[in-house]
Amino acid sequence: RVSVITSGKGGVGKTTTTANLGLSLARLGFSVVAVDADVGLRNLDLLLGLENRVNYTLVEVLNGDCRLDQALVRDKRWSNFELLCISKPRSKLPLGFGGKALIWLVDALKSRPEGSPQFILIDCPAGIDAGFITAITPANEAVLITTPDITSIRDADRVTGLLECDGIRDIKMIVNRVRTDMIKGEDMMSVLDVQEMLGLPLLGAIPEDSEVIRSTNRGYPLVLNKPPTIAGLA
């Protein structure tokens, strides 16, 4: 399954979701490859605590400087979880880089000798420009991340339309950073309100949790915490 994790708006939790969802799937015994498709601002390696082990990226694979298996970084905690970054921060992308490169990557992963991963999760960059188009090209399903505020919902609605134009019909949403205290005081939309506005099937709701910042800074995804925190459980 090739899923793109997207939102339109920046800072709503795409990369955090990709890291935690990927490791949760790996813990259930699935083989997972997480692709950081944010070419300019790469962060997934930091969240996973793998930044020191990224020696090669997809750009170098396509240039013929290394093999695909050299660019894949295997997580030491869960060997069935691998990370692939598209480019190094501050590097210029080759002009012809686009959706075709990602389609090639997905095909290469599916046909590799040790077997195809069961999940390929693509962490999409914010915005709806070329980087977004590239990231969604190989996907056949999308996970839309939104927070319960109007700016995020408007952007999510726009992205839903763009995904459907691109032929991705299987779109589910995660409502992130939900605060029950604010919903009770009617200062924040409820998950049901968001669902009614966007008309998408709900994959899950994740409560606001200060532990997220701590786990990001430590490069230790939330779902690995013992005991788990509320967002980690969600």
Side-chain angles (χ1 to χ4, degrees):
R1 292 173 67 170
V2 186
S3 301
V4 62
I5 293 169
T6 180
S7 71
K9 192 172 187 299
V12 295
K14 288 181 292 291
T15 307
T16 310
T17 304
T18 308
N20 286 288
L21 204 56
L23 277 172
S24 298
L25 287 166
R27 284 169 72 176
L28 292 170
F30 294 104
S31 57
V32 182
V33 172
V35 180
D36 191 340
D38 198 332
V39 287
L41 307 165
R42 178 182 103 186
N43 288 324
L44 189 54
D45 53 336
L46 289 170
L47 264 73
L48 292 162
L50 298 173
E51 66 276 6
N52 297 330
R53 293 180 49 212
V54 179
N55 298 321
Y56 296 110
T57 63
L58 180 59
V59 169
E60 280 135 326
V61 177
L62 294 168
N63 287 340
D65 300 333
C66 69
R67 297 188 313 274
L68 179 58
D69 59 305
Q70 289 176 298
L72 286 160
V73 181
R74 198 175 285 279
D75 195 297
K76 285 190 172 127
R77 297 159 291 205
W78 297 93
S79 61
N80 50 345
F81 181 89
E82 294 168 293
L83 167 71
L84 178 70
C85 296
I86 283 193
S87 72
K88 291 193 168 86
R90 295 193 298 279
S91 71
K92 279 201 170 71
L93 267 187
L95 281 173
F97 190 89
K100 280 185 181 156
L102 281 199
I103 291 173
W104 175 86
L105 166 68
V106 169
D107 290 343
L109 286 171
K110 282 179 179 170
S111 59
R112 60 185 186 165
E114 66 267 40
S116 167
Q118 286 154 299
F119 286 90
I120 299 173
L121 302 179
I122 301 170
D123 181 19
C124 188
I128 52 171
D129 54 5
F132 166 80
I133 304 296
T134 300
I136 68 172
T137 304
N140 40 36
E141 58 182 344
V143 177
L144 192 73
I145 315 289
T146 182
T147 50
D149 57 85
I150 52 168
T151 51
S152 180
I153 289 167
R154 174 188 278 181
D155 293 358
D157 193 41
R158 178 97 173 84
V159 164
T160 305
L162 292 169
L163 289 168
E164 286 173 347
C165 286
D166 204 64
I168 300 174
R169 294 263 178 268
D170 185 355
I171 309 169
K172 297 181 183 71
M173 71 166 182
I174 291 177
V175 184
N176 197 15
R177 307 190 68 168
V178 177
R179 286 185 53 179
T180 40
D181 56 329
M182 285 183 76
I183 293 169
K184 280 189 186 124
E186 297 192 344
D187 292 317
M188 182 183 264
M189 279 177 268
S190 72
V191 175
L192 198 66
D193 293 337
V194 176
Q195 208 182 345
E196 278 176 1
M197 288 178 81
L198 290 174
L200 293 172
L202 183 70
L203 203 56
I206 300 167
E208 177 79 67
D209 187 347
S210 58
E211 201 56 47
V212 174
I213 299 170
R214 203 168 286 133
S215 89
T216 302
N217 289 336
R218 286 197 356 243
Y220 192 80
L222 214 55
V223 290
L224 301 178
N225 276 9
K226 289 189 179 80
T229 65
I230 49 167
L233 279 169

